[in-house]
Amino acid sequence: MTLTQPDVTVVIGAYEAMPYLVECLASVEAQTLDPTRIEVIAVDDGSQDGSGDCLEEFAARAPMAVTVIRQKNSGGPSGPRNVGLGKAAGRYVFFLDADDRLGAEALERMVAIADRNGTDVVLGKVEGVNRSAPKSMWRKTVDRTDVYSSNIKFTLSAQKLFRREFLERHGMRFDESLWTGEDALFTMEAYLRADGVSVVADYTCYYLVGRDDGKHVTKSGSYTLRFDSARALMGLLERMVPPGPKRDVLMVRPFLVTLLPQFGPVFLRNTEDERRTKFELAKPLMDAHWNEGVAQRLKVHERLRLYLVAVQRPDLLKDVVEFIKAKSEPKPVLKKGGTQLYLAYPHYRSRKAGVPDRVYLAEPREAKAYPGWRQDPAETFLRQATRKVRRRLRRLKKRLTPRPGGTAAA
């Protein structure tokens, strides 16, 4: 009998995953994709709660091929994922966390859109269960996009469908030296290298489950690990993307998602030693990667806090964070006939503080919420012209891009 290559290898790394693992495995068993087209590589990472036995029981009854690997604890999710990827035989690979679960049609839909469009990465809509989940990238199903022209940069978890040949060709593996953010590094590299990314937004493919015991990896660990994660992701972007607007667009992600939360309300609860350490850890990152291109893409309160980190002013930052925590509203200040709007957060126009006015200047997407602000006519014309050129270039690129299994559109 000739063995056919499975369409998907589902890699499950399990550590102390009970009882969540039961529903996780049930969601794999319930897939509408033919079980002969699925293989499962499950890695028990030294669990002591029966997770390994649960995986063995599943392997004995499951309608698809299941391989269970039991190993000593590796200390993080990267090791089990790399082991599973090394054993995978499927055309695609999907990394499923043992405390989460799949929608019944998830694999079938994701394989179909990848095959139809020849894309290397597929994002399936994620829904949070007892926790939040990213939302901005699920507005519509997209056959083909990239990391620059969409919001996919704000979902860098590993729970995506990846073309395995693509991963192998680039020698991609998870960084086992990182204790958090290893998935962000892997996924961002995949986005940058991919020949197209597809988005399934009309069906919930993945249920991101919040654990009652608080053991989810993103909730644990020292704050210093977040700086390690930011450093690694910023370094990747520096290596792979030339300086300029494209790098700035992507650099927003580590600044906004990884660094900025360290200088929010939690900063007020930190000891003086912790605050000083945070500023010390942030300084080389700000010196190397903070610039006007990144700053202009942020809201005023985000930009202001990161600016104060960049200039090493924890005293001023404390006032700003207290203002934000109290849910105070900054006074809007209109200038130049209403075409410029400044938000008067603490230290606005203070000579002693010396923060430049431009830090408080709201970009149009934020300013439009305030009565009295109006778009500068010259800027409106320039934006419209730029959008028109971009649309024409996209249409031309679509016409010239070869279709999977065929030639470019006529």
Side-chain angles (χ1 to χ4, degrees):
M1 182 178 69
T2 302
L3 294 177
T4 57
Q5 182 184 27
D7 283 344
V8 190
T9 298
V10 179
V11 174
I12 304 173
Y15 174 68
E16 304 291 306
M18 298 296 287
Y20 304 92
L21 181 58
V22 175
E23 286 195 46
C24 172
L25 297 175
S27 76
V28 175
E29 199 168 8
Q31 289 301 295
T32 56
L33 186 67
D34 189 322
T36 63
R37 297 167 63 187
I38 302 171
E39 75 163 353
V40 177
I41 308 293
V43 183
D44 173 32
D45 199 35
S47 301
Q48 301 295 318
D49 67 344
S51 292
D53 292 338
C54 182
L55 292 174
E56 298 280 11
E57 292 167 5
F58 174 71
R61 73 166 192 274
M64 65 277 296
V66 180
T67 300
V68 177
I69 299 168
R70 304 182 79 158
Q71 63 181 32
K72 292 182 180 179
N73 181 250
S74 65
S78 292
R81 287 173 182 161
N82 285 339
V83 169
L85 180 55
K87 299 285 187 181
R91 293 191 297 121
Y92 299 97
V93 61
F94 188 93
F95 299 100
L96 172 60
D97 280 1
D99 40 15
D100 299 332
R101 58 182 183 265
L102 294 169
E105 300 174 24
L107 296 182
E108 183 175 15
R109 285 174 177 256
M110 288 189 287
V111 168
I113 199 171
D115 282 348
R116 188 167 64 248
N117 297 287
T119 44
D120 289 329
V121 184
V122 179
L123 285 66
K125 183 179 179 181
V126 177
E127 183 178 315
V129 179
N130 299 323
R131 61 175 298 185
S132 60
K135 295 180 175 62
S136 65
M137 61 293 303
W138 312 125
R139 293 192 180 100
K140 64 177 182 178
T141 292
V142 180
D143 283 341
R144 176 176 281 267
T145 187
D146 59 57
V147 72
Y148 302 108
S149 54
S150 67
N151 269 347
I152 64 173
K153 62 180 174 292
F154 289 112
T155 173
L156 296 183
S157 63
Q159 292 81 43
K160 315 285 188 287
L161 189 79
F162 299 93
R163 189 178 297 274
R164 189 171 64 85
E165 182 277 330
F166 156 74
L167 298 180
E168 296 298 340
R169 179 168 15 107
H170 294 289
M172 289 185 57
R173 292 294 186 270
F174 291 90
D175 187 338
E176 297 186 33
S177 70
L178 290 175
W179 288 75
T180 186
E182 77 297 326
D183 49 353
L185 198 65
F186 181 92
T187 304
M188 180 63 83
E189 182 178 352
Y191 288 165
L192 290 169
R193 295 189 184 281
D195 178 10
V197 178
S198 297
V199 179
V200 176
D202 56 352
Y203 179 82
T204 300
C205 293
Y206 198 87
Y207 292 90
L208 193 66
V209 179
R211 292 179 61 142
D212 296 329
D213 56 14
K215 287 184 179 179
H216 195 277
V217 66
T218 58
K219 295 183 179 180
S220 60
S222 164
Y223 67 84
T224 61
L225 300 179
R226 304 303 190 270
F227 287 90
D228 292 339
S229 174
R231 186 182 307 109
L233 187 53
M234 290 175 174
L236 174 77
L237 295 176
E238 183 179 42
R239 292 190 302 274
M240 294 192 66
V241 186
K246 283 190 171 183
R247 183 194 288 182
D248 294 340
V249 164
L250 301 186
M251 201 65 77
V252 165
R253 200 277 181 188
F255 274 114
L256 195 60
V257 176
T258 311
L259 275 193
L260 189 62
Q262 299 305 318
F263 302 101
V266 68
F267 187 75
L268 301 177
R269 301 194 298 271
N270 292 149
T271 65
E272 286 301 321
D273 283 346
E274 288 172 331
R275 292 178 186 177
R276 183 168 54 253
T277 300
K278 284 186 174 184
F279 266 74
E280 290 171 354
L281 290 170
K283 188 177 189 309
L285 303 181
M286 305 303 294
D287 289 348
H289 305 296
W290 178 250
N291 60 43
E292 282 298 314
V294 175
Q296 290 174 3
R297 289 172 166 81
L298 302 177
K299 293 181 179 178
V300 172
H301 75 87
E302 297 163 347
R303 183 192 311 137
L304 175 58
R305 282 185 283 160
L306 286 169
Y307 171 83
L308 294 175
V309 174
V311 298
Q312 298 283 289
R313 292 300 302 269
D315 53 329
L316 303 185
L317 177 64
K318 182 174 177 291
D319 298 335
V320 175
V321 175
E322 286 176 343
F323 183 90
I324 294 169
K325 185 181 179 184
K327 297 183 178 179
S328 303
E329 290 294 330
K331 179 184 176 182
V333 179
L334 288 165
K335 294 186 178 183
K336 290 195 175 182
T339 62
Q340 289 186 349
L341 181 125
Y342 296 82
L343 296 179
Y345 283 96
H347 308 298
Y348 173 64
R349 310 232 68 187
S350 164
R351 288 188 177 182
K352 184 178 179 181
V355 181
D357 284 359
R358 70 177 184 278
V359 177
Y360 296 88
L361 179 63
E363 291 297 308
R365 63 184 175 277
E366 185 175 11
K368 66 183 180 182
Y370 291 85
W373 176 83
R374 65 187 184 88
Q375 184 87 46
D376 186 315
E379 187 176 343
T380 301
F381 174 79
L382 181 61
R383 287 176 183 270
Q384 289 175 343
T386 301
R387 282 198 294 267
K388 186 179 292 186
V389 170
R390 286 176 178 169
R391 283 197 298 269
R392 287 178 177 174
L393 288 174
R394 280 198 296 268
R395 285 197 293 267
L396 179 61
K397 182 179 179 181
K398 187 175 182 180
R399 287 174 57 195
L400 296 176
T401 300
R403 294 172 178 171
T407 58

